[in-house]
């Protein structure tokens, strides 16, 4: 009988030390990216597709990967009307070069604009398994700085949502 008590006691200690696995669910919200939609400047209510847009962060050699299955430079190009780009979680500004018609054989058709986004950030605890996520608030008085490297292709920028808490809404509209 004593051996049975010892066995039950040992099993109780063994199972009491087990913890459930901490695995972050793929559906858990993480640090959101900045969602940008492109519109026709002449008809502001109409979405407009960009052509071979390449977005490169300041100090970076390669652009943001929009087509992970593509090879070569084509993985950095997009032709849609909406993009999502990350903001730095360790700084209060992020700068990007937006190149329209990137890789075109005619240099006159390639247009480059630079945009710097200014914001504050806040780290929020999600869970023990997922850690922290960062949410951003665009600077209310000066959310961006738009400088032109070549011919200006971006005509106007509109901030739609200053609080960047998810990727389900448009934060910035760019008219060209």
């Amino acid at each position: 009988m004593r051996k049975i008590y010892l066995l039950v006691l040992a099993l109780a200690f063994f199972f009491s030390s087990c913890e459930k696995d901490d695995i972050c669910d793929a559906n858990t919200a993480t640090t959101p990216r900045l969602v940008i939609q492109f519109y026709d400047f002449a008809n502001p209510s109409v979405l407009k597709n960009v052509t071979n847009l390449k977005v490169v962060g300041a100090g970076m050699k390669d652009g943001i990967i929009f087509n992970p299955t593509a090879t070569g430079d084509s993985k950095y190009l997009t032709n849609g009307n909406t993009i999502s780009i990350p903001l730095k979680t360790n700084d209060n500004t992020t700068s990007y070069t937006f190149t329209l018609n990137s890789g075109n054989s005619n240099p006159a058709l390639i247009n480059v604009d630079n945009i710097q986004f200014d914001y504050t950030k806040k780290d929020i605890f999600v869970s023990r398994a997922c850690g922290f996520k960062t949410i951003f608030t665009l600077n209310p008085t000066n959310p961006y700085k738009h400088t032109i490297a070549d011919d200006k292709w971006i005509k106007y920028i509109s901030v739609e949502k200053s609080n960047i808490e998810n990727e389900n809404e448009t934060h910035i509209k760019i008219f060209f």
Side-chain angles (χ1 to χ4, degrees), residues 34-118:
L34 180 69
V35 178
I36 301 173
Q37 282 190 323
F38 297 94
Y39 285 84
D40 188 354
F41 184 71
N43 192 355
S45 62
V46 176
L47 284 167
K48 185 175 179 181
N49 288 343
V50 291
T51 305
N52 290 334
L53 177 68
K54 184 174 184 179
V55 181
V56 181
M60 303 299 290
K61 179 183 149 195
D62 296 324
I64 295 173
I65 297 175
F66 292 112
N67 301 308
T69 58
T71 58
D73 283 339
S74 60
K75 67 181 168 184
Y76 305 115
L77 303 178
T78 187
N79 292 304
N81 57 31
T82 303
I83 62 171
S84 298
I85 58 175
L87 297 174
K88 292 182 182 177
T89 58
N90 60 349
D91 203 351
N92 288 331
T93 62
T94 302
S95 297
Y96 284 105
T97 299
F98 288 73
T99 305
L100 189 66
N101 297 318
S102 179
N104 194 305
S105 58
N106 183 354
L109 297 177
I110 299 172
N111 289 309
V112 180
D113 281 57
N114 298 312
I115 302 176
Q116 175 182 308
F117 298 100
D118 296 324

Side-chain angles (χ1 to χ4, degrees), residues 108 110-113 148-154:
I110 299 172
N111 289 309
V112 180
D113 281 57
I148 305 160
D150 286 336
D151 290 335
K152 182 178 181 178
W153 70 272
I154 296 175

Side-chain angles (χ1 to χ4, degrees), residues 6-20:
L6 288 174
L7 180 63
V8 169
L9 187 62
L11 287 173
F13 280 124
F14 177 75
F15 285 114
S16 70
S17 65
C18 294
E19 294 182 28
K20 82 174 206 169

